[in-house]
Amino acid sequence: MSTITALQSKDIVEGFRRDIHERLMEIAGSYGSPESLYTPMQYVLESGGKRIRPVLVMLVADAYGGNTHAALDTGVALEILHNFTLVHDDIMDRDNQRRGRPTVHTKWDISTAILSGDGLLALAYKVLLNIEEVDVRHVLKIFTDGVMDICEGQAFDKEFEQRTDVTLDEYMMMIGKKTARLISMCCVLGGSISGVSSPEQDRLGRFGFLLGEAFQVQDDLLELTSTADVMGKSLGSDLTEQKKTFVLLKALEMSDPEAEKKIRSFLDVEHHTDADFVALKSMLTDVGIVEKTKEFVQKKITKAQKILAGLDADTEHLRYLADKLSHRKA
Amino acid sequence: MSTITALQSKDIVEGFRRDIHERLMEIAGSYGSPESLYTPMQYVLESGGKRIRPVLVMLVADAYGGNTHAALDTGVALEILHNFTLVHDDIMDRDNQRRGRPTVHTKWDISTAILSGDGLLALAYKVLLNIEEVDVRHVLKIFTDGVMDICEGQAFDKEFEQRTDVTLDEYMMMIGKKTARLISMCCVLGGSISGVSSPEQDRLGRFGFLLGEAFQVQDDLLELTSTADVMGKSLGSDLTEQKKTFVLLKALEMSDPEAEKKIRSFLDVEHHTDADFVALKSMLTDVGIVEKTKEFVQKKITKAQKILAGLDADTEHLRYLADKLSHRKA
């Protein structure tokens, strides 16, 4: 991709991001009382984030010359859904920081976080239901099946914390439901509201799914290599919560029996010191997990790019975004 | 109403209740893994309850000779929505018993209750989206506006716990959103899926709203006069959670300054002994609150029955149900 094209794509993405933020603020700002419900909802929606999901919806719609007004609100609904999952997951995972700010249950309390999460899910439906000129039953079925899958993914994630024999396949199934499914859904819905055929929607779904898998596995790696400042959220919480991430499971696969025993002994301990965490980090990097994970991510992105190439659309900006995501630092 | 007619109505209601239970079990039974999500969801749905909301949907549809298949699934979706609110509210209100069994967060944990509540809300939408031959956008808009109102009602309820100056009007607004709205929605949707006119849907909504207000105020009274065994849930929790119920607020209105001072002094204490609770009960009954509340409930029911009489439908069984609800003991 030429530098000029990349710059154009960057402008497009930035423009979409601004539109999304504005629309989100407009929607969030139209609610006032009761304060204990709407203030935390606004707090979450204004807190930024990469807005990758709604940007994807808009890029897909744009690639087919689709209805950008409908795409904006579809994207916004998916971003609100994403935020609903963050608010509830943060309670369950006891994460106290998100996007550089205290999480809702930390700033307020668990009741407030439960209720404002519920409010966000209702709001997502409300936004979707106000989009004109789409097959609302089709759109909402995809959306609702997605919500259910995301709940299943989170349930598996919590179940896996209690187990020490989780396999890499089980892990990929879990992040498929929890993360990749939502990103896949963004691409499918971006196509659906633009009136693309059902097989083309399937291809868009596969593209989004691969992108989502890459995104999540990269997140696991950043948890190991980045800092809390750059990421804007608590790091190491995956490990303290006994999460079996790609990085951990793949490192176990790659380890000789002695190294495996050492890493596993870490998993059996319930509370870790900072020194434990540093020790684990070096055990994992020693087996070459950083390079291996990057390679895995790149393979997924390459596959995703191949699907893009076969679409009946102008996918230049989508290619740019996929490429950017595979090199992200936060 | 003659005894024979009442017996016929009773049979109809019992039949609907069985249909609802069977359909709920069929839906809940079609999900298996992950167990940590679906087992608690099934636990909640199988636990019974009066099923008043879906029965109302079916009675309304029946009164207009409407589509009973669509009415069954609409009712089931509303019952699932109701159960979603119970699971999340029980966490927030720290209630440990419901329908004679431990609440989800007590039997499992808070994370499980948050997630299975979310799953129930998604399931309610899933059921609604599979109903054929209805204006799905209209039905879902009413449903989603209702979900948002219920969240607002719960938020006001929690806000009121922190305040000592809540008025009776504010209380009625809160239960309007939290309880009456859902019962009203059952009647509106029962009419909507039966193809009744918009003004008739409004009348159905007003009927349901009055019924819902009566139902909630009576619940407040039962909290004072019933026993945990009969109710199948923890009693006195309204008072320990500093809830300002109709019974309490109306009793304050009816008290002379000395009695009011005594009751208010109770509200300032954070932790109550059983003896405190017994003392408060007799203070409230002494001012005549039991009779006054029964009178209030009867007024609402009479108004509701008047609206029924003006509907263009065969409302005999609805009259029976409204009458039953005004005399319930649990």
Side-chain angles (χ1 to χ4, degrees), chain A residues 33-36 38 88 111 114-115 118 122 125-126 129-131 137 140-141 144-145 152 155-156 159, chain B residues 33-36 38 88 92 114-115 118 122 125-126 129-131 137 140-141 144-145 152 155-156 159:
Chain A
S33 168
E35 239 184 76
S36 64
Y38 291 118
H88 280 189
S111 293
I114 293 173
L115 196 57
D118 294 344
Y125 275 102
K126 224 173 141 71
L129 282 161
N130 280 324
I131 303 171
R137 192 189 287 265
L140 283 174
K141 272 192 178 184
T144 302
D145 286 347
E152 289 189 2
F156 279 120
E159 285 185 12
Chain B
S33 167
E35 239 182 79
S36 64
Y38 291 118
H88 280 188
M92 299 182 222
I114 293 172
L115 196 57
D118 295 344
Y125 274 102
K126 223 172 142 71
L129 283 162
N130 280 324
I131 304 172
R137 192 190 288 263
L140 283 173
K141 271 192 178 182
T144 302
D145 286 347
E152 289 188 3
F156 279 121
E159 285 185 12

Side-chain angles (χ1 to χ4, degrees), chain B residues 201-310:
Chain B
Q201 285 183 43
D202 289 346
R203 284 186 283 272
L204 283 164
R206 281 201 301 280
F207 161 73
F209 197 84
L210 288 160
L211 204 64
E213 287 182 311
F215 187 79
Q216 182 57 55
V217 170
Q218 202 177 33
D219 216 61
D220 295 350
L221 185 63
L222 289 170
E223 173 98 7
L224 189 77
T225 58
S226 188
T227 66
D229 271 359
V230 176
M231 292 289 280
K233 64 174 184 179
S234 2
L235 291 181
S237 73
D238 279 0
L239 290 165
T240 51
E241 282 283 314
Q242 313 267 347
K243 298 260 188 212
K244 279 75 191 178
T245 69
F246 176 90
V247 164
L248 194 74
L249 295 170
K250 190 74 192 169
L252 283 171
E253 245 186 47
M254 293 161 67
S255 302
D256 57 35
E258 202 192 341
E260 187 186 336
K261 210 174 146 192
K262 271 195 195 162
I263 298 174
R264 285 208 185 273
S265 74
F266 183 91
L267 290 181
D268 295 335
V269 184
E270 275 220 9
H271 299 285
H272 300 102
T273 63
D274 284 354
D276 285 341
F277 186 55
V278 171
L280 181 71
K281 267 192 177 188
S282 63
M283 279 190 264
L284 296 177
T285 44
D286 283 353
V287 297
I289 193 62
V290 175
E291 299 69 27
K292 193 75 183 178
T293 306
K294 282 183 179 167
E295 199 183 292
F296 182 89
V297 168
Q298 196 47 57
K299 265 191 198 160
K300 293 278 176 190
I301 295 287
T302 306
K303 267 196 193 176
Q305 300 279 30
K306 259 193 201 147
I307 294 177
L308 272 191

Side-chain angles (χ1 to χ4, degrees), chain A residues 18-246:
Chain A
R18 272 193 303 275
D19 294 344
I20 291 156
H21 186 76
E22 255 174 46
R23 183 77 182 113
L24 272 168
M25 291 308 92
E26 189 186 351
I27 290 168
S30 61
Y31 296 91
S33 168
E35 239 184 76
S36 64
L37 175 65
Y38 291 118
T39 307
M41 281 170 64
Q42 282 153 1
Y43 174 80
V44 172
L45 294 179
E46 82 191 8
S47 75
K50 293 175 282 288
R51 313 287 195 204
I52 287 161
R53 293 157 193 83
V55 165
L56 264 173
V57 178
M58 295 188 76
L59 285 179
V60 169
D62 182 66
Y64 292 95
N67 178 343
T68 51
H69 183 73
L72 177 59
D73 273 6
T74 305
V76 160
L78 286 157
E79 180 69 10
I80 297 173
L81 168 64
H82 173 56
N83 279 277
F84 144 75
T85 67
L86 296 181
V87 172
H88 280 189
D89 288 2
D90 282 342
I91 309 173
M92 301 183 220
D93 294 340
R94 283 171 271 183
D95 276 323
N96 54 25
Q97 231 199 333
R98 163 83 57 195
R99 295 170 183 159
R101 308 202 301 173
T103 48
V104 177
H105 69 279
T106 311
K107 191 174 164 73
W108 287 275
D109 52 35
I110 289 182
S111 293
T112 304
I114 293 173
L115 196 57
S116 52
D118 294 344
L120 286 167
L121 183 53
L123 182 59
Y125 275 102
K126 224 173 141 71
V127 172
L128 275 184
L129 282 161
N130 280 324
I131 303 171
E132 305 286 342
E133 293 166 39
V134 298
D135 177 352
V136 74
R137 192 189 287 265
H138 180 69
V139 167
L140 283 174
K141 272 192 178 184
I142 293 173
F143 185 85
T144 302
D145 286 347
V147 176
M148 199 60 119
D149 260 1
I150 293 167
C151 288
E152 289 189 2
Q154 172 67 4
F156 279 120
D157 197 8
K158 298 308 283 180
E159 285 185 12
F160 291 175
E161 288 173 17
Q162 308 300 321
R163 286 175 42 195
T164 53
D165 61 348
V166 178
T167 66
L168 205 54
D169 280 352
E170 286 179 309
Y171 173 80
M172 291 307 295
M173 175 278 290
M174 181 274 284
I175 65 160
K177 284 178 182 286
K178 191 172 159 169
T179 309
R181 184 67 163 81
L182 177 53
I183 293 181
S184 170
M185 188 159 61
C186 291
C187 299
V188 173
L189 287 176
S192 166
I193 58 167
S194 309
V196 313
S197 73
S198 177
E200 188 84 344
Q201 285 183 42
D202 289 346
R203 284 187 283 273
L204 283 164
R206 282 202 299 280
F207 160 73
F209 197 83
L210 288 161
L211 204 65
E213 287 183 312
F215 187 80
Q216 181 58 54
V217 170
Q218 202 177 32
D219 216 61
D220 294 349
L221 185 63
L222 289 169
E223 173 97 8
L224 189 78
T225 57
S226 187
T227 66
D229 271 1
V230 176
M231 292 289 280
K233 64 175 184 178
S234 0
L235 290 181
S237 74
D238 279 359
L239 290 166
T240 50
E241 283 284 314
Q242 311 269 344
K243 297 260 190 212
K244 280 72 192 183
T245 68
F246 177 90

Side-chain angles (χ1 to χ4, degrees), chain A residues 171 175 213-227 231 233 235-236 238-239 244-251 254 277 281 284-298 325-330:
Chain A
Y171 173 80
I175 65 160
E213 287 183 312
F215 187 80
Q216 181 58 54
V217 170
Q218 202 177 32
D219 216 61
D220 294 349
L221 185 63
L222 289 169
E223 173 97 8
L224 189 78
T225 57
S226 187
T227 66
M231 292 289 280
K233 64 175 184 178
L235 290 181
D238 279 359
L239 290 166
K244 280 72 192 183
T245 68
F246 177 90
V247 164
L248 194 74
L249 295 170
K250 190 76 191 167
M254 293 162 68
F277 186 54
K281 267 193 177 187
L284 295 177
T285 44
D286 283 354
V287 297
I289 193 61
V290 176
E291 299 69 26
K292 194 75 183 180
T293 306
K294 283 184 179 165
E295 199 183 290
F296 182 89
V297 168
Q298 196 47 56
L325 286 182
S326 71
H327 296 104
R328 75 193 173 104
K329 297 270 174 288

